[in-house]
Amino acid sequence: LAAAAALLAPATARAQADDNLGACVAELRRELPRRAPVSAASFDEYTRGAQDLRPLIRDASGAQPEFTRKIWDYLARLVDAQRIDDGRALLAREQPALQRVAERERVDAATVVAVFGVETDYGKVRGRHKVIDTTLSRACLRMSSDERRGHFFAALRLLQEGLVAPDDFMGSWAGAFGLTQFMPGTFIQYRTDGDADGRVDIYGSVPDALATTARFLRGLGWVDGRPWGVEVRAPRAVVERWSAAEAQHGCLRGGGERCKRLADWLGLGVAGMGGQALADAAQRLGADTPLALLAPAGADGPAWLVTPNYRALWGYNHADAYALAIGLLSDALRGSTPSSAALQRTPWPTDDPGLSRAGVRELQALLRQRGRCEVTADGADGPLTIAAIRAEEKQRGWPESGRAANRLLAALQKDATAAAAAAPACADAAAAAAPSQASAPPR
């Protein structure tokens, strides 16, 4: 036992040190001489009473939907009819500002609006954590990261210089804030006055948020007029050998064997999906433009040849699901097809597609009809909805996935039709279960 205790002692000491936020704050304060212009007074004022969010951040960082949710579920929510329709309305409403952004920053309107839509659903989803608390906690979780410490000191600088109001300086668990979710240091570097009022407000000014986003994308390497990617067909052997997922497509910026010229991909048997899509893309690409093959669901799913512009989207939030959502949403915003149309020609390799938010709302309402009144029909499948789905799956003898997907929705719809005369178990279930006219069919 004594030997075991001796072995555990260093780990216990480290855990206690990790739990001591005050010690981390003190260590960060010693960096002030090289963190100008942040003053000691500002540091002390804004860290006094800071909340330790490290447990929350640990949990959230391991549950990011970009990495934990099936990609067809992720895209069904992020690029649904509602987001497309809202984005098209915003394109029309903000047309003058977007035209100025495109002329000055050389990033097209659809791409900028797609970022806005994916990040905060056009401003509907706001962060609820103090940015000082989140950036401080993230820095203390990994003191070896100069980037994390830099964002914390940048947050202090924003407050010190009055660029954000203390009561309004709220953001995500990761420390991103504003309509298009910027980390503090990134915002300081790329902030842009889009409405020409002499200040940059990415909380209250849509033009400022869009202009700042465009400037950041350009800084990440966006080239005007170049497509982010084009859907293709590729032989199975080519996908298995050359598909570049996540960081593997870094060759789009720095060279590497997974990136090839269009002529080389064509020589390997990669082909367009019909029509002029690939030919049109080729006209906008230089002969030496590097292209990577992206097949996020493997050889049985859709594939795209992606350009360095895709890598710029990926740089905004390092996840293929995220970058693909922006690319597909931007395509939908540019197009004239119905917002309920399929996002790509090749379907995802599943017999149980994900649901749009309208589909999730209908599923939730039908769960309420069946007596699961703890569920709210809001289109967001949180813990209560997941638990209710698991219970429903268990009752049906299905594997307990907790997924809000097409198979369960169809079963609930069938049951609701068979029991149409029965009184709903929850007071508002009957009205909520009626599908919205604007809802998209499950994809």
Side-chain angles (χ1 to χ4, degrees), residues 122-133:
Y122 310 110
K124 298 183 186 71
V125 180
R126 299 297 184 99
R128 56 189 179 88
H129 305 290
K130 291 183 178 180
V131 175
I132 286 296
D133 293 349

Side-chain angles (χ1 to χ4, degrees), residues 177-182 187 192 200-205 208-209 212:
F177 68 98
L179 294 174
T180 48
Q181 295 290 279
F182 274 86
F187 174 66
T192 306
V200 181
D201 175 14
I202 65 164
Y203 280 108
S205 170
D208 286 359
T212 300

Side-chain angles (χ1 to χ4, degrees), residues 430-441:
S436 165
Q437 293 298 313
S439 67

Side-chain angles (χ1 to χ4, degrees), residues 228-377:
W228 66 269
V230 59
E231 190 180 359
V232 295
R233 291 191 307 272
R236 176 176 292 273
V238 172
V239 172
E240 292 174 348
R241 172 65 179 86
W242 296 108
S243 178
E246 302 302 352
Q248 291 177 322
H249 46 61
C251 55
L252 291 170
R253 298 293 299 276
E257 67 171 359
R258 287 185 183 270
C259 288
K260 305 177 185 300
R261 299 173 305 168
L262 180 58
D264 297 327
W265 287 116
L266 295 176
L268 288 171
V270 175
M273 295 297 295
Q276 286 294 109
L278 190 55
D280 290 345
Q283 290 181 358
R284 291 183 285 161
L285 295 170
D288 294 325
T289 299
L291 303 171
L293 180 65
L294 179 70
D300 293 322
W304 291 265
L305 285 180
V306 295
T307 76
N309 274 4
Y310 174 85
R311 183 71 181 185
L313 299 178
W314 187 87
Y316 208 107
N317 181 0
H318 295 176
D320 278 333
Y322 171 90
L324 192 55
I326 293 178
L328 293 173
L329 180 55
S330 68
D331 287 350
L333 294 179
R334 291 186 197 94
S336 57
T337 56
S339 56
S340 59
L343 300 176
Q344 74 276 336
R345 290 173 178 261
T346 301
W348 295 106
T350 177
D351 58 0
D352 191 14
L355 298 177
S356 67
R357 287 174 293 173
V360 176
R361 285 193 293 272
E362 184 180 357
L363 183 147
Q364 290 167 323
L366 290 167
L367 287 171
R368 289 179 60 81
Q369 271 194 344
R370 293 177 61 82
R372 307 194 188 280
C373 301
E374 72 279 9
V375 172
T376 301

Side-chain angles (χ1 to χ4, degrees), residues 412-437:
L412 291 173
Q413 289 170 331
K414 183 178 179 180
D415 291 349
T417 300
C426 308
D428 60 345
S436 165
Q437 293 298 313

Side-chain angles (χ1 to χ4, degrees), residues 182-197:
F182 274 86
M183 295 300 291
T186 310
F187 174 66
I188 286 176
Q189 182 177 358
Y190 291 100
R191 65 189 189 274
T192 306
D193 182 5
D195 55 16
D197 67 351

